[in-house]
Amino acid sequence: MRVQSLTLAAASAALLVPTAPVATPAQPRTQPVVWRPVVGRGDPVSAADLLARARDCAPVSRGRYRKDIGSPAKIPVCGTRDAVFWKADMDIDCDGRPGPRCNRRTDPYFAAGTAYSQSDGRPLSAERLPFIVVPAPSRIWDYRDHGVGGGSVVAVVYRDQVQYAVVGDTGPRGVIGEASYATAEALGIRPHPLRGGTASGVTYIVFKNTRVSPIEDHAVAVTTGERAARRFVDGAE
């Protein structure tokens, strides 16, 4: 997570205003990203199903988080038997392995590392892998105490869409609401590291005691996520 860019975002609300997806840049991807559809038994779990289950909040955090540095602390982390979740904005994480869309030229606050690495030891690719950022452990909340870690499966819900992702990076202790370039792109949120994101309306549901291995295998995140989402919605063990 870029602390500097969050400061910049707090200084200018224009950075967080929802916009249409950015036009395809002139420089093509070396290998196009293919977002695999959810695969599961029966009907896929819908955004409405997940939001209905996450309607009520039983806080598990000791305090509340800010959307951006300098904004009021209003966001609790909520919990159930199967998951923890929060409702926030989405800032764009472009850190990790550099590519044509995430690098020092496109993002002046770019960092070439992520809290969790691929199976080959390299940082994750924010522009290719859907992942989210969780706040670093603090007195407010420690994700590690709730069955959450690198590779935990997440359902990111925006409007009527669900994108399965993994926990891939950590950020400032007092701020919440950030996901990779690839996550935003898949949800139709403008993914630009400085001018992208959305100011509100994103629900992050992290399923306890799940783990994708290798962490970069998005297909496994999708199938695991669909099963975990069904348990979460049904309230089953």
Side-chain angles (χ1 to χ4, degrees), residues 156-196:
V156 186
V157 185
Y158 179 66
R159 296 179 177 171
D160 61 349
Q161 299 180 80
V162 180
Q163 174 62 42
Y164 292 105
V166 293
V167 172
D169 205 357
T170 59
R173 290 183 174 87
V175 177
I176 204 165
E178 185 174 10
S180 68
Y181 183 110
T183 307
E185 185 178 46
L187 290 168
I189 296 171
R190 190 180 187 189
H192 192 281
L194 296 181
R195 296 186 293 276

Side-chain angles (χ1 to χ4, degrees), residues 48 109 127 130 141 202 212 221 223:
Y109 307 113
E127 67 180 58
W141 182 59
V202 183
V212 173
T223 54

Side-chain angles (χ1 to χ4, degrees), residues 8 17 28 47 52 76 100 121 140 142 146 160 187 202 208 215 220:
L8 180 61
V17 174
I140 300 175
D142 187 337
H146 296 268
D160 61 349
L187 290 168
V202 183
K208 296 179 180 180
I215 193 172
V220 173

Side-chain angles (χ1 to χ4, degrees), residues 73-135:
K74 296 182 177 181
I75 304 170
V77 176
C78 312
T80 70
R81 172 178 52 190
D82 302 305
V84 293
F85 60 91
W86 55 90
K87 302 175 184 181
D89 62 339
M90 182 184 287
D91 295 320
I92 307 303
D93 186 354
C94 224
D95 296 338
R97 200 166 73 251
R101 289 161 176 77
C102 291
N103 55 63
R104 297 189 189 281
R105 295 186 304 277
T106 61
D107 180 2
Y109 307 113
F110 175 80
T114 49
Y116 298 100
S117 302
Q118 292 188 164
S119 54
D120 61 5
R122 294 188 297 169
L124 304 180
S125 170
E127 67 180 58
R128 297 188 62 81
L129 181 67
F131 67 79
I132 73 160
V133 179
V134 294

